Amino acid sequence: MTAIATTAPVIGHEWPEQGGVYIGSRLIDGATHHVIIPGGKEFDLVDVKFKDLASAVTERGEVNGHADWRAPDQKDMMLAYINTPDLFNKDDWYWTNKPCGSYGAWAVDFEYGGVYYWSRGYEFRVRPVRSIIASSL
C-alpha cells in the first residue's frame, strides 16, 4: 500500500480515482487507512460460503480500475454499517474474513448492525473492500 497525495472525499461519496465509495478511515497495523468499497449492492458477491471468501474476491479480479480488493474484516464491515448502511442489502448477511472457533465465522447484518457467528457452511454476501494509507498532508 502506498501513501496517497489526494484528499479523501466526504464519507459516502464517490472517489473515482480510488475505485469506489469512501466509507471512512481506520487504523490497520498502526497506520491510518482510507477504506473504499467498489459501490453499492450491484458489487456484492452473492451466495458465497466462508471457505470460498478469499477466492471469490480474487476471481472477481479488477473492479473500477483496481485489482487489490480483499475480503473485508469485521472492522471494515462495522465502518460500512456506521457510515454507509444504505449501500448494503438489509435483507441479508455479509461475511467478514474473521473465523470464530473451528466451524464458525463472523457476519454482519445491515438491518440492525448485528454481528453474529454463523456456521461456515452458510452462504452470504461479500462486499470487497480496499484500503490505502492516508498521507500526512
Side-chain angles (χ1 to χ4, degrees):
M1 313 256 168
T2 58
I4 60 167
T6 60
T7 304
V10 173
I11 291 173
H13 285 80
E14 292 282 334
W15 197 353
E17 59 269 22
Q18 295 304 330
V21 176
Y22 176 55
I23 65 169
S25 53
R26 59 175 280 246
L27 288 177
I28 300 175
D29 297 329
T32 302
H33 284 241
H34 295 304
V35 182
I36 299 102
I37 58 174
K41 298 170 222 168
E42 68 275 12
F43 289 96
D44 286 350
L45 302 167
V46 296
D47 300 331
V48 177
K49 289 185 179 180
F50 184 79
K51 70 180 179 79
D52 300 326
L53 186 64
S55 63
V57 172
T58 300
E59 288 171 12
R60 166 67 64 89
E62 187 174 298
V63 177
N64 298 336
H66 295 273
D68 60 345
W69 300 98
R70 61 179 169 76
D73 64 25
Q74 189 173 336
K75 291 176 183 175
D76 294 323
M77 295 309 290
M78 293 314 300
L79 187 65
Y81 174 75
I82 291 166
N83 291 331
T84 57
D86 292 339
L87 296 178
F88 290 80
N89 186 334
K90 291 183 178 28
D91 297 327
D92 209 347
W93 288 80
Y94 285 80
W95 281 126
T96 74
N97 66 5
K98 181 78 171 149
C100 178
S102 299
Y103 302 101
W106 295 100
V108 176
D109 162 47
F110 275 81
E111 184 171 6
Y112 301 109
V115 179
Y116 188 73
Y117 65 92
W118 291 88
S119 166
R120 295 180 190 180
Y122 280 92
E123 294 180 343
F124 293 139
R125 291 175 177 263
V126 178
R127 179 75 56 84
V129 299
R130 63 185 301 268
S131 62
I132 52 175
I133 298 172
S135 67
S136 56
L137 297 176

